[in-house]
Amino acid sequence: MHRRTVLGIALSSMLPAWAAAQNLPVMHVSTLVGEDPAATVSEYVLREAYRRLGRTLVVQQLPGERSLIYVNEGKMDGELYRKLGLERDYPNLVIVPVPLLTFELVIFSRGTSFVVHGWESLRPFTLGFVRGNKIAQENTQGMKVEQVATMHQAFEKLVMGRTDLVLGNRASGMAVVRSQKLDGITVLDPPLASFPVYHYLNKKHAALVPELTRVLKQMQADHTIERIHKSLPAY
């Protein structure tokens, strides 16, 4: 396991007790399972934002759909990062309207080459992606898909020949390629989509949205978010 991941797990397990000792409110936020640079960036940014508000952030990894359901039901306080518009399907989610980063959805291939002309050009192939990737689910209706729990599993199926392509965030996919030392993986251009992602809260915390918005804008202005991005190798 990656050293940063091990350290993060250790620190996360200690945070609730530390926060209780300091009488700090703890925000329990969920995100997708797996070692994800986008999640790491978002966690670092939000940890600092909540610190400035006198709160502590604890992140729990859950399968993609379960993560959204738990936040919508109030079992978790928030979702670490997701694309714009989730509140249409999960009405108890409230967006914090400051982007944390730009998510670039790309195609990973191992020997399959073709001219990328949007989603429809993927129809002849078997596609792998992480369950809970809403934009992939929405745009591959009727296509041959293999949904899995993690990006590691998606690339395992690609290497085994069970799928032709993997769809996912560029940084997250490349992190798996590097950590697993996978050969022959290429990224096909252009990207399928590029869009900002945002922090979401359960509506019981709606009163926090203006404060988080203010603090995140402050962190943009003082270049804290930029420094966090630059400090992490995948970004």
Side-chain angles (χ1 to χ4, degrees):
M1 188 179 293
H2 196 282
R3 182 176 179 274
R4 187 191 300 141
T5 304
V6 174
L7 180 60
I9 292 170
L11 289 174
S12 294
S13 66
M14 294 161 53
L15 278 170
W18 177 84
Q22 301 296 316
N23 294 317
L24 297 179
V26 177
M27 296 296 292
H28 294 274
V29 170
S30 57
T31 192
L32 296 172
V33 173
E35 186 180 325
D36 180 3
T40 303
V41 170
S42 300
E43 180 176 348
Y44 278 41
V45 170
L46 289 172
R47 192 175 297 285
E48 172 60 16
Y50 279 113
R51 186 195 68 78
R52 295 186 186 191
L53 293 177
R55 292 173 179 260
T56 297
L57 178 71
V58 173
V59 177
Q60 180 178 346
Q61 293 189 350
L62 294 170
E65 195 67 30
R66 189 186 309 167
S67 179
L68 287 168
I69 291 170
Y70 275 23
V71 178
N72 194 58
E73 293 177 349
K75 295 177 181 177
M76 299 294 290
D77 296 315
E79 176 78 26
L80 190 66
Y81 77 92
R82 291 280 182 163
K83 70 182 182 72
L84 190 69
L86 278 188
E87 62 276 12
R88 291 194 296 268
D89 296 320
Y90 301 90
N92 294 329
L93 270 61
V94 182
I95 193 171
V96 179
V98 180
L100 301 176
L101 54 93
T102 298
F103 191 102
E104 193 176 32
L105 184 65
V106 299
I107 304 165
F108 296 93
S109 171
R110 191 170 186 260
T112 300
S113 182
F114 63 101
V115 178
V116 179
H117 281 307
W119 293 94
E120 193 58 31
S121 62
L122 306 183
R123 190 168 293 279
F125 306 105
T126 301
L127 315 170
F129 55 84
V130 175
R131 190 175 294 108
N133 183 332
K134 290 297 183 182
I135 191 166
Q137 289 176 347
E138 291 165 1
N139 286 279
T140 58
Q141 295 291 323
M143 298 185 192
K144 293 170 287 186
V145 302
E146 289 277 347
Q147 297 189 51
V148 294
T150 68
M151 282 292 280
H152 285 277
Q153 293 175 356
F155 278 103
E156 283 176 2
K157 289 198 171 191
L158 179 65
V159 170
M160 292 168 60
R162 297 275 301 277
T163 58
D164 301 310
L165 306 168
V166 168
L167 312 181
N169 180 28
R170 183 189 295 270
S172 305
M174 291 310 300
V176 174
V177 171
R178 287 191 294 268
S179 68
Q180 298 297 304
K181 297 181 172 60
L182 300 178
D183 294 324
I185 305 295
T186 58
V187 177
L188 303 183
D189 287 318
L192 289 167
S194 181
F195 50 90
V197 293
Y198 302 84
H199 183 40
Y200 281 85
L201 292 172
N202 180 275
K203 67 180 183 181
K204 66 185 177 184
H205 297 297
L208 270 177
V209 171
E211 285 298 288
L212 272 174
T213 301
R214 176 185 61 79
V215 167
L216 287 169
K217 286 183 176 179
Q218 181 185 68
M219 289 170 62
Q220 285 179 328
D222 66 19
H223 303 291
T224 298
I225 294 177
E226 180 184 353
R227 286 195 296 272
I228 290 171
H229 281 242
K230 287 181 178 179
S231 72
L232 298 170
Y235 275 83

